Amino acid sequence: MRVLGIETSCDETAAAVVENGCRLLGNAVTSSIDLHIRYGGVVPEIAARSHIEAIVPVIEQALRDAGTDWNGIDAVAVTRGAGLGGSLLIGVLAARTIAIAKHKPLYGINHVEAHTYANFLTDASPPGYTMRAQQPGFPMLALIVSGGHSQLVLFRDHFDYTLLGRTSDDAVGEAFDKVAKILGLPYPGGPSVGKKALDGDPFKYNLPKAHTSKYDFSFSGLKTAVLRLAQAEIGEDFTFPSKDLPQRLSERQKADIAASFQRVAIETLVDKTVSAYEEFRPKSVIIAGGVAASPELRRQLSERLPHSISYPDLKLCTDNGAMVATLGCFKMLRNQPASDPSTLDINPSLSM
Ligand code: KG4
Ligand code: ZN
């Protein structure tokens, strides 16, 4: 059983073919990120236009890489939310058109739920992937951390889960992106702050951890604390414009601020994950979403969880079609209802 997965919720245009929910056959991703860098964040209008240009070549590439034509595809899965409305629309319309023209069942997919499914891939035929040895067992505790989401979810089984906690303001990836802007580091902030932090002292500054209810997160206070710290470091007050900070901060100060911020942001995620682990004693713990690519998150989790943890390939942490196709496979395998290809709609604020 093979599913084509399509993902266009943000700046990546992605398509992939997955077999039986475990084997990646073809994975094509292109990103309009270069067009957004000068704006310091994704510009929805530019992202949507780029998807229009890229969607057909990306789908064709995924099929070619998988060595199949439409006869070898049993269903189409597509991200219908959460994400940018104009971007989601391109993927959903492409998937609906394919489903109707090629007579395939169609599955509308929740992007955040799909991120966790990168962990169910154990085999890849394209070269260059480091895959998990086996699929995670249930109950499964999932830390889902991206540019739009920070949440802890307890899965009892496929399609049977409880949201334990979420962020009440910024997502952790968003905090990385905003701190990168304050320090004059390139977008996306996760990798650039992580790289700068390698040269810094993570204990140089004492940044605050938010007090939230049990498994909830909050990152906007931390981001503001970084801004105030940067202003104080150059001897200015809160009225100093953040856009002028990068040229006044030394490379040493930037590295120490990046390292201290990263330590506290990641510690917050790990504190809550360890507490949830102790309360629910799951069979497996997984991390998912763009921030799951963070080496610091992996290091702290390995150090503090009394449980070994397997990670998805870095290329499967950020947005991709493989996670969408994998969840589509499980929907088909578990007889979940398919979507109507003439009416499937986007939902930019879809939650778990
Ligand atoms: O899952 P994703 O590709 O898109 C969303 O659904 O949001 O996640 C993108 C986010 C960005 O905020 C980016 O800064 C962060 O993931 N990110 C990282 C790393 N790579 C990407 N954060 C920390 N460390 C990384 N290596
Ligand atoms: Zn994502």
Side-chain angles (χ1 to χ4, degrees):
M1 192 261 291
R2 289 174 175 173
V3 174
L4 171 74
I6 298 173
E7 157 62 41
T8 62
S9 67
C10 192
D11 57 318
E12 277 92 6
T13 315
V17 179
V18 169
E19 192 171 69
N20 298 332
C22 62
R23 182 154 197 248
L24 179 61
L25 300 180
N27 189 36
V29 185
T30 179
S31 172
S32 54
I33 196 149
D34 293 347
L35 303 175
H36 306 288
I37 280 175
R38 54 191 286 220
Y39 303 102
V42 174
V43 183
E45 183 68 21
I46 295 174
R49 280 163 179 263
S50 304
H51 288 308
I52 294 173
E53 287 169 15
I55 189 79
V56 172
V58 162
I59 292 171
E60 285 173 347
Q61 181 72 45
L63 292 175
R64 233 183 352 261
D65 292 351
T68 185
D69 60 14
W70 290 109
N71 293 323
I73 299 295
D74 300 294
V76 180
V78 63
T79 299
R80 60 179 290 257
L84 302 170
S87 291
L88 290 165
L89 206 52
I90 311 303
V92 166
L93 287 177
R96 285 171 54 178
T97 308
I98 294 165
I100 291 169
K102 305 288 181 188
H103 308 289
K104 310 286 180 193
L106 176 66
Y107 294 93
I109 298 290
N110 178 321
H111 178 83
V112 183
E113 193 180 349
H115 266 299
T116 61
Y117 278 76
N119 286 275
F120 286 85
L121 287 163
T122 53
D123 191 10
S125 54
Y129 288 86
T130 310
M131 304 304 274
R132 293 175 56 116
Q134 56 189 26
Q135 293 186 332
F138 294 103
M140 172 180 90
L141 177 65
L143 172 68
I144 309 171
V145 276
S146 71
H149 301 270
S150 304
Q151 53 197 50
L152 270 167
V153 183
L154 184 68
F155 285 78
R156 282 171 292 276
D157 195 355
H158 296 287
F159 316 115
D160 177 11
Y161 53 75
T162 304
L163 179 63
L164 300 178
R166 65 199 313 176
T167 180
S168 52
D169 41 58
D170 293 354
V172 63
E174 196 178 351
F176 269 93
D177 296 338
K178 288 177 176 169
V179 166
K181 223 170 178 174
I182 293 169
L183 300 179
L185 303 172
Y187 177 86
S192 63
V193 169
K195 196 163 160 233
K196 194 76 192 167
L198 292 174
D199 303 326
D201 174 2
F203 295 96
K204 173 80 195 239
Y205 304 109
N206 230 337
L207 289 160
K209 275 188 196 170
H211 295 284
T212 53
S213 53
K214 213 162 182 192
Y215 298 123
D216 287 332
F217 300 104
S218 162
F219 291 101
S220 81
L222 176 58
K223 169 205 67 191
T224 307
V226 167
L227 175 61
R228 297 288 174 263
L229 168 64
Q231 290 163 328
E233 276 296 300
I234 58 162
E236 299 282 353
D237 70 7
F238 69 95
T239 57
F240 189 82
S242 61
K243 68 173 177 36
D244 297 330
L245 281 167
Q247 66 257 35
R248 293 275 304 274
L249 289 163
S250 69
E251 293 310 306
R252 169 94 265 140
Q253 286 170 318
K254 287 181 191 178
D256 288 339
I257 294 173
S260 301
F261 158 76
Q262 177 176 255
R263 175 181 60 79
V264 172
I266 299 291
E267 256 175 34
T268 308
L269 299 174
V270 176
D271 288 349
K272 305 263 167 164
T273 308
V274 171
S275 309
Y277 176 83
E278 282 164 358
E279 179 169 350
F280 299 104
R281 293 281 156 183
K283 211 168 197 164
S284 59
V285 181
I286 62 124
I287 55 172
V291 183
S294 161
E296 177 64 11
L297 175 58
R298 293 174 178 217
R299 190 190 64 73
Q300 286 196 25
L301 270 179
S302 308
E303 219 173 79
R304 293 183 49 200
L305 260 190
H307 179 289
S308 77
I309 176 164
S310 301
Y311 300 103
D313 188 278
L314 293 180
K315 296 184 283 302
L316 302 174
C317 288
T318 45
D319 291 349
N320 63 82
M323 64 191 200
V324 176
T326 308
L327 177 50
C329 285
F330 280 98
K331 288 210 169 195
M332 208 173 184
L333 289 166
R334 299 289 178 111
N335 298 316
Q336 293 283 304
S339 308
D340 181 344
S342 53
T343 58
L344 177 66
D345 206 357
I346 60 164
N347 182 349
S349 53
L350 188 65
S351 62
M352 280 189 79

